[in-house]
């Protein structure tokens, strides 16, 4: 009976794998046939400074509205785009749309873009993004690139050189999803970082795990001592915030303070930040 059951599991497992495979092939095919320029867009999620309750930065998050598949989340289509060899086209289109949005915002507000491993592996591609910024006369200090440990891990030496060049040009670098993967303090030491984003998986666990709480507290302290900005990602509830508040986090990004929103809503939110001279100027 045990054997039978095991076989049953194996069959289910295979079916699921098969479905996943067909899913991802379908995604890849649809991406290849998509009018990416028309179907891809960005939403922007606020990063709130706890000290004064103000938002000075938004993370650009990709959305794909496919005529056939409907709205597809980036966790699904970014990987498909990588496999299909389309990720640089996707990144380029989103980057341009993000800069378009940024140009309609007050000048003291910044945007951050997620880069995939294949983006940062190609120096010429990254510099084509840099060129877009310079050509438009946008201050590089308003642009932040989010990279993950997994992305830099492929070749830490090459990644470090690229990030140092971006940093020297004035762009900002954030280490995303810290604590979710092969977190190594080596990256914090080796890379020219401006910001660390603590993965939402950790924030999710602080309510139930004393160890998670201590780790989050330690990373916040580490960032403060190294003069790095620190973002807590994925704060959803007042209850979570109540537990996190004593750890003195500086920046919060989560549903509690704002969902990803279209650029129009960003402009409205900033106009509503009372007494902001920059907001008043727009
Ligand atoms: P990420 O860079 O870590 O982005 C944060 C994700 O957490 C976003 O999911 C955001 O909507 C979600 N989030 C924010 N606050 C909360 C919260 O309070 N609760 C919960 N449950 N989730 C929250 P999203 O937009 O689905 O993006 C998922 C991932 O896809 C991103 O994770 C990023 O790795 C990737 N991604 C998104 N846009 C792009 C892009 O333009 N390029 C690349 N290469 N990757 C992207
Ligand atoms: Mg990110
Ligand atoms: Mg993240
Ligand atoms: Mg991520």
């Amino acid at each position: 009976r045990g054997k039978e059951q095991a076989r049953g599991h194996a069959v289910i497992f295979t079916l699921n794998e098969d479905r996943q495979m067909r899913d991802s092939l379908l995604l890849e095919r649809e991406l290849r046939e998509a009018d990416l320029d028309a179907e891809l867009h960005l939403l922007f999620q606020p990063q709130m400074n706890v000290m004064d309750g103000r938002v000075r930065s938004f993370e650009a998050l990709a959305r794909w509205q496919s005529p056939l598949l409907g709205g597809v989340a980036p966790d699904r289509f970014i990987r498909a785009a990588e496999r299909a060899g389309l990720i640089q086209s996707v990144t380029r289109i989103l980057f341009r749309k993000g800069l378009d949005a940024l140009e309609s915002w007050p000048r003291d507000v910044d945007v951050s873009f997620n880069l995939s491993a294949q983006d940062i592996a190609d120096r010429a591609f990254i510099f084509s993004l840099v060129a877009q910024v310079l050509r438009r006369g946008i201050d590089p200090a308003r642009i932040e690139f989010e990279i993950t440990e997994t992305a830099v891990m492929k070749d830490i030496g090459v990644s470090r050189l690229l990030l140092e060049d971006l940093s020297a040009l004035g762009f900002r670098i954030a280490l995303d999803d810290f604590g979710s993967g092969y977190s190594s303090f080596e990256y914090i030491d080796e890379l020219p970082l401006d910001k660390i984003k603590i993965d939402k998986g950790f924030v999710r666990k602080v309510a139930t795990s004393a160890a998670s709480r201590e780790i989050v507290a330690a990373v916040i302290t580490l960032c403060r001592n190294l003069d790095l900005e620190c973002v807590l990602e994925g704060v959803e509830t007042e209850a979570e915030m109540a537990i996190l508040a004593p750890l003195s986090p500086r920046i919060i990004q989560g549903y509690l303070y704002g969902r990803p929103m279209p650029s129009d809503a960003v402009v409205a939110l900033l106009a509503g930040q009372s007494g902001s001279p920059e907001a008043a100027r727009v």
Side-chain angles (χ1 to χ4, degrees):
R1 194 178 165 267
K3 202 172 173 185
E4 204 101 296
Q5 217 169 35
R7 259 231 306 272
H9 280 293
V11 169
I12 289 166
F13 183 66
T14 311
L15 281 176
N16 282 341
E17 282 220 312
D18 189 48
R19 181 172 311 146
Q20 274 175 24
M21 175 85 84
R22 269 183 296 146
D23 262 17
S24 66
L25 288 177
L26 178 67
L27 271 181
E28 284 175 48
R29 203 191 59 209
E30 285 309 306
L31 270 174
R32 284 204 188 85
E33 282 167 15
D35 177 355
L36 292 176
D37 204 52
E39 295 169 26
L40 289 172
H41 67 280
L42 288 170
L43 296 179
F44 302 91
Q45 188 177 31
Q47 301 188 341
M48 198 204 63
N49 278 58
V50 178
M51 289 285 279
D52 57 8
R54 278 171 184 276
V55 178
R56 293 187 184 80
S57 185
F58 291 80
E59 177 176 9
L61 294 161
R63 298 292 181 265
W64 176 30
Q65 193 61 40
S66 155
L68 186 80
L69 306 169
V72 187
D75 279 331
R76 292 181 62 216
F77 78 78
I78 292 290
R79 251 170 303 151
E82 287 174 338
R83 281 190 308 267
L86 288 169
I87 187 66
Q88 292 189 354
S89 308
V90 168
T91 305
R92 183 181 296 109
I93 289 167
L94 291 170
F95 193 70
R96 180 176 37 83
K97 293 191 174 189
L99 296 185
D100 289 345
L102 186 69
E103 285 182 325
S104 73
W105 300 353
R107 279 174 196 277
D108 62 345
V109 178
D110 307 340
V111 68
S112 52
F113 293 95
N114 293 281
L115 293 179
S116 90
Q118 284 179 37
D119 293 328
I120 65 166
D122 184 347
R123 196 178 165 83
F125 172 71
I126 295 297
F127 276 86
S128 74
L129 302 183
V130 168
Q132 281 195 48
V133 175
L134 301 182
R135 218 170 16 236
R136 287 174 177 231
I138 296 172
D139 181 358
R142 296 180 68 194
I143 315 279
E144 184 169 77
F145 292 113
E146 297 195 4
I147 46 141
T148 61
E149 295 155 319
T150 338
V152 292
M153 213 167 63
K154 305 244 155 77
D155 191 333
I156 177 90
V158 168
S159 305
R160 181 168 54 78
L161 286 178
L162 176 66
L163 298 179
E164 277 172 356
D165 287 344
L166 290 173
S167 187
L169 286 165
F171 293 92
R172 294 168 44 84
I173 312 293
L175 188 60
D176 201 0
D177 299 346
F178 187 75
S180 71
Y182 307 87
S183 300
S184 161
F185 290 109
E186 188 191 352
Y187 301 126
I188 299 181
D189 190 33
E190 289 268 305
L191 302 173
L193 301 177
D194 299 286
K195 182 188 276 183
I196 288 178
K197 303 186 75 175
I198 302 180
D199 190 66
K200 56 179 176 290
F202 258 103
V203 172
R204 193 88 317 109
K205 282 189 292 188
V206 289
T208 52
S209 156
S212 290
R213 196 174 165 285
E214 286 304 320
I215 291 167
V216 170
V219 176
I220 290 173
T221 303
L222 180 76
C223 288
R224 185 167 306 132
N225 293 340
L226 291 176
D227 211 15
L228 293 170
E229 287 187 5
C230 183
V231 176
L232 287 180
E233 273 193 296
V235 180
E236 289 183 0
T237 63
E238 293 287 359
E240 280 169 352
M241 195 53 209
I243 294 167
L244 291 162
L247 314 182
S248 309
R250 295 285 168 89
I251 308 172
I252 304 284
Q253 180 182 344
Y255 294 167
L256 179 61
Y257 295 108
R259 298 237 170 198
M261 59 184 82
S263 179
D264 291 357
V266 168
V267 173
L269 181 152
L270 292 169
Q273 286 195 158
S274 58
S276 162
E278 288 290 339
R281 224 166 54 197
V282 165

